[in-house]
């Protein structure tokens, strides 16, 4: 009997601890783009957003209470639903930043309709591969074929499209 009670307590605390880990979701959403761009060890401290602790504490308490009432499936379901909400939060908060900072998709969207006028300058090999992935075929090298639109390294080495021909229509700006 004592072993069963001990296991039940352990299960309650394990569920509550799992729910408490949800407090890291906002931190992950904030540091993910910089970690992918520069490496996790170079990320500035994001800190724990205290406003996220109230809903996390509520989910943890409800999961603990449901487990204590013998409704483990409900407890696990609440944590799973909260985790899904966390994944959606990360997607909404981090993915637009990822598109602008660690993916060539945003740059490619700017120039896709004028691909024949694009050349790639001194961008890193990984960015070149990424651009070629979105273009479907290798883009011209600016050293070999000058084109009116050049993709060059920008701030932080993130590529940007530069318009080099005067009097031509401009490239749409990223929002």
């Amino acid at each position: 009997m004592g072993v069963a009670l001990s296991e039940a307590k352990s299960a309650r605390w394990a569920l509550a601890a799992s729910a408490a880990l949800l407090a890291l979701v906002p931190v992950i959403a904030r540091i993910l783009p910089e970690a992918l761009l520069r490496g996790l060890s170079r990320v500035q401290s994001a800190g724990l957003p205290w406003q996220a602790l109230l809903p996390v504490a509520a989910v943890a308490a409800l999961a603990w209470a449901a487990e204590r009432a013998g409704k483990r499936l409900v407890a696990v379901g609440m944590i799973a639903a909260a985790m899904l909400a966390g994944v959606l939060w990360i997607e909404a908060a981090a993915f637009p930043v990822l598109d602008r900072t660690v993916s060539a998709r945003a740059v490619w969207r700017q120039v896709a309709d004028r691909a024949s006028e694009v050349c790639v300058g001194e961008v890193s090999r990984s960015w070149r591969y990424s651009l070629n992935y979105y273009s479907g075929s290798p883009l011209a090298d600016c050293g070999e074929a000058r084109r009116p639109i050049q993709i060059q390294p920008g701030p932080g080495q993130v590529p940007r499209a530069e318009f080099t021909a005067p009097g031509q229509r401009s490239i749409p700006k990223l929002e």
Side-chain angles (χ1 to χ4, degrees):
M1 174 103 170
V3 172
L5 283 175
S6 177
E7 287 178 8
K9 274 186 171 179
S10 295
R12 277 185 231 132
W13 286 109
L15 284 170
S18 297
L21 287 174
L22 291 168
L24 296 177
V25 167
V27 174
I28 292 167
R30 194 176 319 151
I31 69 170
L32 183 62
E34 189 175 353
L36 290 174
L37 187 61
R38 293 182 181 85
L40 186 58
S41 63
R42 294 186 181 122
V43 172
Q44 298 293 327
S45 175
L48 186 63
W50 297 104
Q51 67 273 20
L53 292 183
L54 185 60
V56 168
V59 169
L62 288 171
W64 184 83
E67 172 62 26
R68 186 171 181 175
K71 298 182 178 182
R72 181 171 291 167
L73 189 59
V74 172
V76 171
M78 283 190 296
I79 293 172
M83 192 51 117
L84 175 62
V87 168
L88 294 175
W89 180 339
I90 290 172
E91 184 177 336
F95 281 23
V97 178
L98 291 173
D99 261 358
R100 289 189 307 270
T101 58
V102 297
S103 170
R105 183 177 10 203
V107 174
W108 178 248
R109 284 181 181 161
Q110 284 184 298
V111 299
D113 61 337
R114 300 174 66 187
S116 63
E117 301 175 58
V118 175
C119 67
V120 180
E122 298 296 319
V123 300
S124 71
R125 183 172 41 182
S126 62
W127 282 105
R128 184 177 288 276
Y129 290 155
S130 187
L131 285 164
N132 289 341
Y133 170 78
Y134 287 110
S135 69
S137 61
L139 294 168
D141 188 286
C142 291
E144 297 171 7
R146 297 296 264 183
R147 305 272 170 86
I149 302 171
Q150 294 183 7
I151 298 177
Q152 297 289 351
Q157 299 303 309
V158 176
R160 64 180 175 178
E162 297 177 352
F163 203 72
T164 59
Q168 298 287 326
R169 66 184 173 106
S170 63
I171 301 167
K173 297 288 182 203
L174 291 175
E175 295 178 22

